[in-house]
Amino acid sequence: MAVAALVVGLMGTFLPCLAPASLVLGLLALLLIRRTPGLQGTRMALVGITAPLLMLPVWASIAGPRYDRYLARNRQLECRQTLKQIATAEGNWFRDHGTYSTDPVELGFFPKRGNRYSYLLASVGPLQARRTVESIQPARGTTGVEADTFQHPEQRPYAQDALPALLGGAAPGVTGTCPKCSFTAACVGNADADPALDVWSVSSQARAGPNGETADAWEPYHDAEDLDPDQSG
C-alpha cells in the first residue's frame, strides 16, 4: 500500500485528480505500519502524501487564470443573449407598428437585476438607473438600461459616451425613415478587472467593416474585445 501511495502520489504531481487517492493510500499505509511492528514503507507513504500537495500551488497558479477567463466569457454571454432578446423585441415591434422603438418600456425590455452591461437603444437619452437595492419602476422616455452598479459596484453605469465606433459606422438607435429604416442596439461593460471595455452591437441590417469584418442582420457583433488575445480560449 505504501508503494501504491508513492506511485499514485508521483503521478498526482502531473494529474491533480489523483491527489485524493494518494492521500488516502498514504494515510492507510501509515496506519497499517503503525499497527504492525517491523513493517517498512513509512518514507514511501509520506512521499506519496506530500508529493501532490507540494504541487498544489503550481496547479492553482495555472487553474486560476483559466477559471477567470471562464467567468469572463460567461459575462460576455450575458451581453450576446440580451442583444438577441432586444433584436426579437424590435422585430416584433416593427411588424406591428412599421417602425422601431428606442424605449425599453414600449418594447417590454426589462433585463433581470445583476446585469454587468449597459444596454443602449439610442445614441442619446437617459438610461434606466440601477444604483440602489430597490428596482425603480421604469418610466417612458429612457433609451436603455444601465449596468447594475448596486449588485456589481466594480462596474460603472456605462452610457453612450463609452461606446467606440461600431461596425459599419452604425450607432444605437433608428437610422433613416421608416419603414425603410434600420435599427442598432449596443451593450457596453467590463468582462474582467482591467480598464478596457467590452462592446457588442446588433443591427437590423448586415454590416461590413473596412478590414473585411462582417455581421449578418440581427446577429451580435463583437466591436471591442475586453480580454487579452491569450484569453481568447
Side-chain angles (χ1 to χ4, degrees):
M1 190 171 293
V3 173
L6 175 63
V7 173
V8 175
L10 293 176
M11 294 175 62
T13 60
F14 301 97
L15 299 172
C17 59
L18 296 178
S22 67
L23 179 62
V24 172
L25 289 171
L27 291 175
L28 289 176
L30 290 177
L31 181 62
L32 290 175
I33 292 170
R34 186 173 182 179
R35 290 181 175 180
T36 308
L39 194 62
Q40 304 297 313
T42 299
R43 291 182 178 179
M44 289 188 291
L46 289 174
V47 172
I49 291 172
T50 57
L53 295 180
L54 293 175
M55 288 296 293
L56 285 179
V58 177
W59 287 112
S61 67
I62 297 174
R66 290 182 178 274
Y67 182 66
D68 290 340
R69 290 195 293 272
Y70 169 77
L71 292 179
R73 288 302 176 192
N74 273 353
R75 291 163 189 159
Q76 291 181 331
L77 184 62
E78 173 212 313
C79 176
R80 299 199 303 271
Q81 291 179 337
T82 305
L83 284 183
K84 288 185 177 182
Q85 294 174 11
I86 295 173
T88 299
E90 289 289 352
N92 293 336
W93 186 267
F94 187 86
R95 283 191 293 271
D96 293 340
H97 301 87
T99 185
Y100 296 106
S101 174
T102 60
D103 190 330
V105 176
E106 284 186 343
L107 295 172
F109 172 58
F110 305 111
K112 295 188 298 184
R113 291 295 302 263
N115 54 299
R116 295 175 182 270
Y117 287 76
S118 291
Y119 296 96
L120 312 175
L121 307 186
S123 297
V124 295
L127 307 181
Q128 296 174 16
R130 294 189 163 185
R131 308 182 189 186
T132 62
V133 63
E134 297 180 355
S135 296
I136 300 174
Q137 183 65 29
R140 287 184 178 273
T142 58
T143 58
V145 180
E146 286 184 356
D148 192 334
T149 53
F150 178 80
Q151 292 192 24
H152 301 292
E154 76 281 1
Q155 301 291 341
R156 294 188 285 109
Y158 314 101
Q160 293 90 337
D161 58 0
L163 285 180
L166 303 180
L167 179 67
V174 181
T175 302
T177 303
C178 294
K180 295 182 178 180
C181 58
S182 62
F183 174 81
T184 300
C187 64
V188 55
N190 197 321
D192 55 18
D194 64 21
L197 295 180
D198 200 56
V199 179
W200 298 70
S201 62
V202 67
S203 178
S204 61
Q205 291 188 339
R207 294 175 290 162
N211 299 316
E213 312 95 328
T214 60
D216 293 334
W218 296 125
E219 282 299 317
Y221 179 80
H222 206 175
D223 294 274
E225 171 65 86
D226 182 18
L227 306 181
D228 294 331
D230 61 350
Q231 293 180 312
S232 59

